[in-house]
Short mmCIF file of all heavy atoms in Angstrom, two decimals:
data_model
loop_
_atom_site.label_atom_id
_atom_site.label_comp_id
_atom_site.label_asym_id
_atom_site.label_seq_id
_atom_site.Cartn_x
_atom_site.Cartn_y
_atom_site.Cartn_z
N GLU A 1170 -17.49 36.32 13.78
CA GLU A 1170 -18.04 35.92 15.08
C GLU A 1170 -19.56 36.01 15.12
O GLU A 1170 -20.17 36.00 16.19
CB GLU A 1170 -17.41 36.70 16.24
CG GLU A 1170 -15.90 36.56 16.29
CD GLU A 1170 -15.24 37.22 17.49
OE1 GLU A 1170 -15.88 37.27 18.56
OE2 GLU A 1170 -14.10 37.68 17.34
N GLU A 1171 -20.18 36.10 13.94
CA GLU A 1171 -21.64 36.15 13.88
C GLU A 1171 -22.22 34.74 13.79
O GLU A 1171 -21.60 33.84 13.25
CB GLU A 1171 -22.10 36.95 12.65
CG GLU A 1171 -21.95 38.45 12.85
CD GLU A 1171 -21.99 39.22 11.54
OE1 GLU A 1171 -22.31 38.62 10.50
OE2 GLU A 1171 -21.65 40.41 11.58
N ALA A 1172 -23.47 34.64 14.29
CA ALA A 1172 -24.14 33.33 14.24
C ALA A 1172 -24.64 33.05 12.83
O ALA A 1172 -25.13 33.95 12.15
CB ALA A 1172 -25.31 33.34 15.22
N LEU A 1173 -24.50 31.79 12.41
CA LEU A 1173 -25.01 31.37 11.10
C LEU A 1173 -26.38 30.72 11.29
O LEU A 1173 -26.91 30.69 12.40
CB LEU A 1173 -24.01 30.39 10.48
CG LEU A 1173 -22.62 31.00 10.17
CD1 LEU A 1173 -21.59 29.90 9.95
CD2 LEU A 1173 -22.71 31.89 8.93
N THR A 1174 -26.91 30.14 10.19
CA THR A 1174 -28.22 29.47 10.23
C THR A 1174 -28.32 28.46 11.38
O THR A 1174 -27.43 27.61 11.49
CB THR A 1174 -28.40 28.62 8.94
OG1 THR A 1174 -27.83 29.35 7.88
CG2 THR A 1174 -29.80 28.22 8.70
N PRO A 1175 -29.36 28.50 12.17
CA PRO A 1175 -29.47 27.49 13.25
C PRO A 1175 -29.63 26.08 12.69
O PRO A 1175 -30.28 25.89 11.66
CB PRO A 1175 -30.75 27.91 13.99
CG PRO A 1175 -31.04 29.29 13.54
CD PRO A 1175 -30.45 29.46 12.18
N VAL A 1176 -29.02 25.13 13.34
CA VAL A 1176 -29.16 23.73 12.94
C VAL A 1176 -29.62 22.90 14.15
O VAL A 1176 -29.53 23.35 15.30
CB VAL A 1176 -27.84 23.13 12.38
CG1 VAL A 1176 -27.37 23.89 11.16
CG2 VAL A 1176 -26.76 23.12 13.42
N ALA A 1177 -30.09 21.70 13.84
CA ALA A 1177 -30.62 20.84 14.90
C ALA A 1177 -29.52 20.40 15.86
O ALA A 1177 -28.41 20.07 15.45
CB ALA A 1177 -31.25 19.61 14.26
N LYS A 1178 -29.86 20.39 17.14
CA LYS A 1178 -28.92 19.89 18.14
C LYS A 1178 -29.44 18.52 18.58
O LYS A 1178 -30.17 18.40 19.57
CB LYS A 1178 -28.86 20.86 19.32
CG LYS A 1178 -27.76 20.57 20.29
CD LYS A 1178 -27.71 21.67 21.32
CE LYS A 1178 -26.65 21.44 22.35
NZ LYS A 1178 -26.64 22.52 23.34
N GLY A 1179 -29.08 17.52 17.80
CA GLY A 1179 -29.58 16.17 18.08
C GLY A 1179 -28.86 15.53 19.25
O GLY A 1179 -27.86 16.07 19.75
N ASP A 1180 -29.37 14.39 19.70
CA ASP A 1180 -28.64 13.62 20.71
C ASP A 1180 -28.83 12.12 20.46
O ASP A 1180 -29.21 11.71 19.35
CB ASP A 1180 -29.01 14.05 22.14
CG ASP A 1180 -30.42 13.65 22.55
OD1 ASP A 1180 -31.09 12.94 21.77
OD2 ASP A 1180 -30.85 14.02 23.67
N GLU A 1181 -28.64 11.31 21.48
CA GLU A 1181 -28.67 9.85 21.32
C GLU A 1181 -29.99 9.37 20.72
O GLU A 1181 -30.02 8.41 19.95
CB GLU A 1181 -28.49 9.15 22.68
CG GLU A 1181 -27.15 9.40 23.36
CD GLU A 1181 -27.14 10.66 24.22
OE1 GLU A 1181 -28.05 11.52 24.10
OE2 GLU A 1181 -26.19 10.79 25.03
N ARG A 1182 -31.09 10.06 21.07
CA ARG A 1182 -32.40 9.61 20.58
C ARG A 1182 -32.52 9.77 19.08
O ARG A 1182 -33.14 8.96 18.39
CB ARG A 1182 -33.51 10.38 21.29
CG ARG A 1182 -33.64 10.01 22.77
CD ARG A 1182 -34.53 10.98 23.50
NE ARG A 1182 -33.89 12.29 23.62
CZ ARG A 1182 -34.52 13.40 23.98
NH1 ARG A 1182 -35.81 13.39 24.23
NH2 ARG A 1182 -33.88 14.53 24.10
N ASP A 1183 -31.91 10.82 18.56
CA ASP A 1183 -31.96 11.03 17.11
C ASP A 1183 -31.08 10.01 16.38
O ASP A 1183 -31.43 9.53 15.31
CB ASP A 1183 -31.50 12.46 16.79
CG ASP A 1183 -32.41 13.48 17.44
OD1 ASP A 1183 -33.57 13.58 17.01
OD2 ASP A 1183 -31.99 14.13 18.41
#
Side-chain angles (χ1 to χ4, degrees):
E1170 302 185 32
E1171 284 162 10
L1173 296 163
T1174 322
V1176 300
K1178 190 174 179 181
D1180 71 5
E1181 297 87 345
R1182 290 168 290 167
D1183 299 291

